[in-house]
Amino acid sequence: MAARSPHAQQLLRCSVQLLLAREELPAGLQLASPSQGALQLEVLPGAEDADVTVTDADGVCVFKCLVNRDTEYCRVGKQSVLIMLEYNSALLQFKSQAEYNTFSNAVKRCRSQKKENSVFSQRTDEASAAQYFQFYGCLSQQQNMMQDFVRTATYHRAIVQNYTDFTDKVVLDVGCGSGILSFFAVQAGARRVYAVEASSMAKYAELLVRSNNLSDKITVLAGKIEEISLPENVDVVISEPMGYMLFNERMLESYLHSKKWLKSNGMMFPTYSDIHLAPFSDEQLYMEHYSRANFWYQEWFYGVNLSSLRSAAVDEYLQQPVVDTFDVRILMAQTVKYTINFIEATEEDLHRVEIPFVFQMMQSGLIHGLAFWFDVAFVGSLVTVWLSTAPTEPLTHWYQVRCLLQTPLFAKEGETLSGKVLLVANKRQSYDIQIVAMVDQTGFKSGNIIDLKNPFFR
């Protein structure tokens, strides 16, 4: 028998009257207010929140919410409490002040519990997280991703064409955003989808679920996958966790973390990813970046000599990864591929990623840096579907990424360029990238340290 949790509290039951204050919702929706009368209140205190449920005489749930440190609520009179939620406010009136006090004390204990740092909080600066979730809480950003036809259509095809993997299954959508992948899962026959979203986009996802009459199929859970709880394990995890150069934003780790809810024979969509890299030659790009620092070469800028900062400016600009697309003819060798299997990989595997390379040059010329792109595979029971961001494929919102060397290297056709790319995760939800490269036949070396968090959109 499992030991009782030290945070477990006794279930509280009492009679209340409930009034839901109706508030106008987007798209003209309104929440129905239950009729007033004697109702049954149940409060199940947990470690960090209290599960509050109100049922009618027939046992039908008419109101349910979680009360925690972030919940806005206040006392009204001697024996009532007002709980303010996203779309409506609930006024609970107790039969006696004593019952109100019992309720209040139970809730206060939960709200006073100090929240333990989650895996996400431990690896992420608060300022970075706030900016990140604010960004993805914007409908305009969701629209940008949804209008990426390659991205959205490929996910739809991967899920719907593998309908046998979803029919009557329980699905977890990690970082659901608008919830579009959850809808695809339902279209493929999913019995239940848990859509987890930590940004304010969760309220819009919930609105879409309600307006599409799918509340019986899709449950939106507001919170981080590292911090929420599910009532059951799932058969399939779906997510779109890829950032620029695959790794940026470190959402891959959240995707891998979600496997704690995956059944032993469960599936992950996407299933694995290949990141590709190749050396490129682009004199114009290199000179563009270099010349951006010429501003700091001025010796008389409103009477101030700026030239002492030019060297630092050159270093900073060259440390920016370039996000754009390019003609594949600038590539000087066949690509090297590095694979991450999401079924097998752990979060710790992504804290430090080392990619060794040896390129055999197919043409002579100056090597200005390394180009990166990625593909992801959705391995289903019926079909494997690929989503590619390669420069030979239709453009996506991920584009491709190029990292410049501080000093270009000359290599002849047939010579080899060897070295490594080392990605080290940082608390800014990104990576510091160290590139070391050498032309083996001449011994000439170059490299750079790239700040993936600070891309240059060209």
Side-chain angles (χ1 to χ4, degrees), residues 223-254:
K224 304 177 183 69
I225 190 63
E226 293 87 354
E227 298 173 6
I228 59 94
S229 293
L230 299 183
E232 59 186 319
N233 287 339
V234 302
D235 301 290
V236 187
V237 177
I238 57 177
S239 185
E240 193 268 77
M242 301 86 72
Y244 293 117
M245 202 172 148
L246 181 62
F247 296 101
N248 191 41
E249 298 180 336
R250 295 185 67 181
M251 191 182 165
L252 286 176
E253 291 165 69
S254 295

Side-chain angles (χ1 to χ4, degrees), residues 422-443:
L422 177 63
L423 298 100
V424 179
N426 59 47
K427 287 196 169 187
R428 295 176 294 126
Q429 292 173 278
S430 193
Y431 285 79
D432 300 309
I433 305 172
Q434 181 182 356
I435 299 175
V436 178
M438 180 177 71
V439 180
D440 297 320
Q441 287 71 20
T442 62

